[in-house]
Amino acid sequence: DRVSLFQDRGVSLDTSILPDYSIEQALRDLKQRGVLREGRVARVAVVGPGLDFADKNEESAYDYYPQQTLQPFALYDSLVRLKLARPDALSVSIFDISSRVIDHIQHARAAARKNISYTIQLPRDVARSWPPELIAYWRAMGDQVGTSVVPIPPPQIFQGLETRAVKIRPEVVLATEPIDLNIVLERLNLPAADRFDVIIGTNIFLYYDAFEQALALENAGAMLKPGGLLLTNDRLPEVPGGSMRQAGMTDVRFGDKDATAHEPIGWYQKR
């Protein structure tokens, strides 16, 4: 039961590509079901995208490259790959309460204004059992938003790593906007035309209790267009008479050998 698993601890910034893979699978499922249509997604937001180079799982705790954020660029990449968004008409807002995350993205944007790209490192432990679909995602990640470059070579202590690096185009970096916003306590008062089509938040709401999660869900709803979606791998309590309802779920599997190796992505839709 991970509903409020980390409500008594501080919010962690560590990240990996696994939630990004899950979100792409959920977006593909939504497109196949006709919930999302080609070229209709223009404004999206990411809640707490993370900023780190190490996962808490010691098997993938790599710290040989600079800190980076992945999820805003991974979401942009997935939406363009699935043709849900046009690359010249997509903006990504980033909601975070961490000054480290906000400052990091602001520095990346400042560099992009000077036509300097943002490079992400993507190491993979080949000994870990990933399904072919996840490996294919890892190999393709970033191909819609940048170009492959030579990765930073890992030190000898990290054996069995396959590495990739992607240079994100400056215009993609500039399409992201960091906003200091606490989704539990705050919302943007947006005109109807500027509200979001999709908001995603992975591994973030489990840091809050049920009441705070309900507040976050309604604040997200206030910023979504009618029919807009919040996608999350955390189960959120719906408010009776509230603006949001769970409309469905995509169960993403990370392999066939372990029945527990899966992640449900819930779709919460604005009424």
Side-chain angles (χ1 to χ4, degrees), residues 117-267:
S117 302
Y118 181 91
T119 301
I120 57 174
Q121 305 292 323
L122 300 169
R124 180 178 79 89
D125 184 351
V126 297
R128 301 190 74 181
S129 178
W130 280 8
E133 296 83 3
L134 178 52
I135 295 174
Y137 173 78
W138 174 79
R139 288 176 175 161
M141 182 180 175
D143 63 3
Q144 304 297 309
V145 294
T147 56
S148 294
V149 294
V150 177
I152 297 173
Q156 293 184 353
I157 191 173
F158 294 124
Q159 298 293 324
L161 284 189
E162 185 177 359
T163 59
R164 290 187 63 229
V166 178
K167 184 184 291 186
I168 308 297
R169 296 190 300 273
E171 63 268 24
V172 174
V173 178
L174 290 173
T176 65
E177 179 189 12
I179 300 171
D180 186 351
L181 183 139
N182 186 332
I183 192 70
V184 172
L185 302 175
E186 299 172 298
R187 62 179 65 171
L188 299 179
N189 293 317
L190 299 170
D194 292 339
R195 292 175 188 168
F196 298 103
D197 301 294
V198 176
I199 298 175
I200 69 169
T202 55
N203 300 329
I204 190 68
F205 298 114
L206 73 173
Y207 288 96
Y208 301 98
D209 63 28
F211 177 67
E212 293 168 323
Q213 290 172 349
L215 290 176
L217 183 61
E218 287 303 303
N219 280 332
M223 296 185 285
L224 285 166
K225 295 176 181 177
L229 296 164
L230 169 68
L231 305 182
T232 179
N233 56 354
D234 299 320
R235 190 170 78 244
L236 303 179
E238 299 176 47
V239 177
S243 65
M244 300 289 286
R245 66 179 183 89
Q246 185 170 0
M249 184 186 71
T250 301
D251 192 28
V252 180
R253 299 207 163 265
F254 297 109
D256 298 326
K257 296 181 180 179
D258 184 358
T260 65
H262 70 108
E263 181 170 59
I265 301 293
W267 331 325

Side-chain angles (χ1 to χ4, degrees), residues 2 6 9 12-20 49-68 70 121 123-125 128 130 158 202-203 207 233 254 263:
R2 52 168 278 150
F6 297 144
R9 53 172 274 189
S12 173
L13 299 183
D14 65 333
T15 185
S16 76
I17 74 164
L18 297 183
D20 304 327
L51 173 65
D52 215 332
F53 44 47
D55 188 272
K56 288 186 178 66
N57 184 337
E58 293 182 359
E59 293 180 348
S60 59
Y62 313 125
D63 60 357
Y64 66 90
Y65 50 86
Q67 289 190 329
Q68 61 186 22
L70 297 176
Q121 305 292 323
R124 180 178 79 89
D125 184 351
R128 301 190 74 181
W130 280 8
F158 294 124
T202 55
N203 300 329
Y207 288 96
N233 56 354
F254 297 109
E263 181 170 59

Side-chain angles (χ1 to χ4, degrees), residues 13-59:
L13 299 183
D14 65 333
T15 185
S16 76
I17 74 164
L18 297 183
D20 304 327
Y21 169 73
S22 296
I23 290 295
E24 176 161 307
Q25 297 308 303
L27 291 170
R28 178 175 285 107
D29 188 16
L30 287 161
K31 179 182 177 182
Q32 291 173 346
R33 294 171 184 258
V35 179
L36 290 176
R37 297 182 180 179
E38 287 193 7
R40 297 293 185 88
V41 178
R43 285 182 51 78
V44 298
V46 178
V47 181
L51 173 65
D52 215 332
F53 44 47
D55 188 272
K56 288 186 178 66
N57 184 337
E58 293 182 359
E59 293 180 348

